[in-house]
């Protein structure tokens, strides 16, 4: 029996989804044998999910790519043999460098760089910036994944409090509503929220889940409220009507002092301004005179009334809001959402009571506003053509009761704030890089000139590539993409395939020969997260869950098993060969813009390890030793940075969005000045969401033919998400678990609906929409809304890399519509539900 020479537990960071949970990996004699959560992480406290536990299967998966490949068959298509031949890394890099040099010397717009590797997205963004292409400013560029998930909630969160995600402050909450978010399962760190929500429930907090299907959160909740898909916004508007018009329940002091709800608004919908200073005016209802919003002599702010000022006549923004929501009664909301009006009124009353408006709490000897009630939501709430305004309604109801950034209320993921005009916070979407260009036709295929509000444009990239004449954009010549499989994770695979075929050269940095890789010309095999170095997160924000902040470092547990290279090292090598690594505007400079000043502009760092070590040395401060010892220095964001009044640095939240309205006016001017409507397929529809207040409009799926009498939805699970790898179908261990679950790989239908349609449990069925159909085995259940067909997402693989090929339902996304009509007109959020019918196969 041989003695063990290597037996260690090594800290690193998980990459089985984008949550980045710290983990420790047991390595014995050079072999990784066990993954566990890192007990030193404040959020996860040593926990990990099924995906995290199954990471070893990703490392030792026999389907992984082992060396670079080059296409020899010029004909591209699913099921068509690309004629792969193995080549060396030297040859692969030489092919790519030669092509990039030609683009560098002619038209840098011809290159697009993107994908969504949760660990290394910063590298592709920085490389694109250093190269000088406008087609790489967002990590989801060409991945067609982000638009399926977050533009609705991310955009609304950014606009209101400068953070992409809004979370219940479960540490202090007494009443939590989750609208369309798989908390404890897939909602921004299932591991942390399973513990936090469990602790909150033990303390007596009430959890209400509003969702078409009984998610894990709904199963553990005090109350599950089934709702029609894509109607959550109507439910929230009905709640706001009840709070304001029936219960007179809102936090007037919060609205006056922490938002712009008291700013006077003129007939043109813009703030009434002081003629001398240009500052917005409010009405002091004690002195009975108009004053600038920041006048230190203000005694009280008027929220209602009509006033004449030196800058013109106006009404407080809150007065306009109150009149605006008068149309959204619970009876109106009930007809749309299927949630009974008495339920809407009861939940609104419970929510308003639980908010304890006017109360305070002492933490560490300091008194803070205490509003222990909030509404949170994510993909189910926002992933529809009306999702941006539905998520905006969620943000509004939290502000209405004073819960946003109050103790126990709605917590923002990013603790920092960006000062904006008129004393209101702003966000990165309002930054100079997102301003509409004066150039026409647009310089990029990102469509940001047409849609400056979105952070990820999804399938629009492929639409533009396939039909540049419809959008007046310049198609790309070369795409470098990593860690993405948009044929499975994008809105509709037909659109992605059409666009991929129109890209002359496609280099795919990937672990598998997945569906999208079938269209590549060059395959660069990536390492797994257990084989490379990487900087994960930034000092101010890291995990997407509970406001932990700090630095996390991925390090190799084992040396690369095959002839593979980390994507970061590929970008470093390309930058060095092209002469764009060092100096102003180079790769190092671009990385500094993302991470902060960490890297010397003149140093030609050789690999990701040198960048990681430099980053820790420059940004780790006194925690350098701690970071290397435990893999991170995460800590809870200090209380003053988390809660009002200190967390906003004296700035206000935009209860009334001047920025969004102004952006719409600017885009309209851009389109009209350039006669863009004559040169593109766009029309006036692209403007109608640019309003100062959220409003209800139905999803595009309500326009589908009546024969499609049900709604089809899918969801993430604790076994897999739509992020990198399209788990669980690519992971044998997770697939084995999924197949034992009587729900995970089935098509779910309510028992009453199944009986009405003559369908039995276990029957093979077709689900057909106006756009496509899938086949699977039926699960008859009470855990889904009677008007809904549901299943897990990201199945339906066509290639051998997926052990789940041929098992479970087909690719759900073939049911979805595509094109601008099926996207949110400001956020470009994809519609992820469909109208469908079901029948026996």
């Amino acid at each position: 029996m041989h003695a063990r020479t290597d037996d260690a537990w090594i800290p690193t960071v998980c990459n089985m989804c984008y949550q980045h949970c710290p983990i420790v990996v047991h390595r014995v004699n050079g072999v990784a044998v066990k993954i566990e959560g890192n007990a030193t992480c404040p959020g996860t406290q040593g926990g990990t999910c099924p995906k995290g536990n199954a990471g070893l299967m990703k490392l030792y998966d026999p389907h992984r790519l082992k060396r670079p490949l080059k296409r020899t068959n010029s004909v591209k298509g699913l099921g068509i043999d690309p004629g792969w031949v193995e080549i060396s890394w030297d040859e692969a890099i030489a092919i790519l460098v030669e092509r990039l040099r030609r683009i560098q010397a002619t038209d840098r717009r011809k290159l697009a760089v993107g994908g969504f590797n949760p660990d290394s997205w910063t590298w592709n963004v920085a490389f694109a910036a250093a190269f000088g292409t406008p087609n790489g400013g967002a990590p989801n560029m060409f991945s067609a994944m982000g638009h399926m998930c977050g533009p609705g909630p991310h955009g609304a969160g950014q606009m209101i409090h400068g953070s992409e995600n809004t979370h219940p402050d479960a540490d202090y909450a007494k009443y939590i509503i989750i609208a369309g978010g798989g908390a404890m399962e897939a909602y921004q760190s299932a591991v942390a929220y399973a513990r936090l929500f469990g602790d909150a429930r033990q303390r007596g907090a009430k959890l209400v889940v509003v969702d078409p299907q009984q998610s894990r959160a709904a199963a553990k909740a005090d109350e599950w409220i089934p709702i029609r898909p894509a109607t959550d916004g109507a439910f929230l508007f009905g709640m706001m009507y009840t709070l304001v018009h029936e219960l007179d329940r809102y936090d007037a002091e919060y609205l006056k002092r922490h938002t712009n709800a008291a700013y006077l608004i003129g007939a043109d919908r813009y703030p009434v301004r002081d003629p001398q200073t240009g500052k917005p005016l409010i009405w002091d209802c004690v002195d009975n005179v108009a004053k600038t919003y920041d006048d230190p002599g203000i005694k009280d702010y008027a929220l209602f009334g009509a006033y004449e000022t030196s800058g013109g006549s106006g009404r407080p923004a809150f007065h306009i809001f109150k009149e605006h929501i008068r149309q959204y009664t619970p009876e109106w909301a009930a007809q749309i959402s299927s949630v009974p009006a008495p339920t809407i009124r009861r939940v609104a009353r419970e929510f308003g009571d639980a908010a304890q408006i006017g109360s305070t709490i002492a933490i560490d000897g300091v008194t803070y506003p205490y509003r222990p009630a909030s509404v949170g939501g994510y993909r189910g709430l926002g992933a529809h053509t009306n999702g941006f305004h539905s998520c905006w309604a969620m943000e509004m109801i939290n502000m209405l009761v004073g819960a946003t950034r109050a103790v126990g209320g709605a917590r923002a993921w990013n603790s920092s704030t960006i000062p904006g005009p008129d004393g209101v916070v702003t966000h990165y979407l309002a930054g100079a890089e997102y301003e509409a260009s004066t150039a026409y036709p647009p310089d990029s295929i990102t469509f940001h000139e047409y849609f400056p509000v979105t952070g990820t444009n999804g399938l629009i990239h492929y639409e533009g590539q396939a039909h540049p004449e419809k959008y007046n954009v310049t198609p790309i010549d070369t795409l470098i993409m990593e860690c993405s499989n948009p044929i499975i994770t994008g809105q509709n695979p037909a659109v992605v395939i059409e666009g991929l075929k129109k890209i002359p050269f496609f280099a795919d940095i990937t672990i598998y020969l997945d569906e999208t890789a079938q269209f590549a010309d060059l395959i660069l095999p990536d390492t797994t997260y257990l084989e490379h170095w990487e900087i994960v997160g930034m000092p101010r924000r890291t995990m997407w869950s509970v406001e932990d902040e700090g630095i996390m470092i991925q390090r190799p547990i084992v040396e690369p098993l095959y002839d593979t290279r980390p994507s970061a090292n590929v970008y470093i090598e390309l930058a060095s060969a092209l002469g764009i690594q060092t100096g102003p505007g180079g790769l190092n400079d671009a990385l500094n813009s993302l991470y902060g000043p960490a890297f010397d502009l003149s140093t030609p760092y050789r690999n990701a390890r040198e960048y990681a070590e430099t980053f820790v040395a420059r940004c780790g401060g006194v925690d350098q030793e701690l970071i290397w010892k435990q893999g991170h220095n995460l800590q809870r964001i200090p209380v003053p940075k988390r809660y009002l009044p200190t967390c906003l640095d004296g700035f206000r939240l935009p209860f009334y969005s001047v920025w969004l309205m102004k952006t719409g006016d600017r885009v309209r001017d851009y389109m009209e000045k350039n006669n863009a409507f004559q040169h593109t397929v766009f029309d006036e529809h692209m403007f109608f969401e640019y309003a100062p207040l959220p409003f209800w409009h139905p999803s595009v799926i309500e326009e589908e033919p009546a024969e499609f009498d049900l709604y089809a939805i899918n969801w993430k699970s604790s076994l897999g998400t739509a992020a990198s790898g399209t788990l669980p179908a690519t992971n044998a261990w997770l697939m084995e678990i999924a197949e034992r679950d009587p729900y995970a790989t089935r098509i779910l239908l309510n028992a009453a609906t199944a009986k009405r349609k003559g369908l039995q449990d276990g029957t093979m069925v077709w689900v057909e929409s106006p756009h496509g159909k899938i086949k699977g085995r039926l699960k008859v259940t009470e855990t889904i809304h009677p008007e809904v067909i549901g299943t897990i997402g990201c199945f339906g693989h066509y290639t051998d890399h997926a052990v789940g090929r041929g098992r479970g339902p087909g690719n759900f996304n073939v049911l979805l519509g595509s094109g601008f009509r099926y996207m949110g007109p400001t956020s470009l959020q994809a519609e992820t539900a469909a109208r469908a019918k079901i029948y026996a196969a």
Side-chain angles (χ1 to χ4, degrees), residues 28 84 160 222 224 268 298 346 369-370 377 389 422 444 466 608 624 638 669 686 753 773 779 806:
V28 178
W84 299 120
I160 298 302
D222 295 272
W224 169 44
D268 62 353
I298 295 173
R346 173 179 56 80
Y370 181 47
H389 274 249
D422 300 335
S444 73
Q624 292 182 47
D669 180 67
M686 68 186 295
T753 309
K773 63 181 183 178
K779 177 62 181 177

Side-chain angles (χ1 to χ4, degrees), residues 292-325:
T292 60
Y293 75 91
D294 58 351
D295 188 326
I298 295 173
K299 295 185 174 66
D300 196 6
Y301 302 77
L303 290 179
F304 301 100
Y307 305 98
E308 294 295 330
T309 77
S310 59
S313 59
R315 296 179 298 163
F318 188 75
H319 183 128
I320 296 170
F321 166 78
K322 184 175 181 180
E323 293 305 307
H324 169 64
I325 64 169

Side-chain angles (χ1 to χ4, degrees), residues 251-259 261-262 300-303 652:
D251 193 335
E253 288 303 308
Y254 177 96
L255 294 168
K256 293 174 183 179
R257 301 189 181 279
H258 299 303
T259 79
D300 196 6
Y301 302 77
L303 290 179
R652 300 168 182 265

Side-chain angles (χ1 to χ4, degrees), residues 433-454:
E433 68 271 28
Y434 286 93
E435 293 293 314
S437 170
T438 56
Y440 190 84
D443 285 330
S444 73
I445 203 169
T446 65
F447 283 57
H448 268 298
E449 291 86 347
Y450 297 136
F451 302 99
V453 172
T454 184

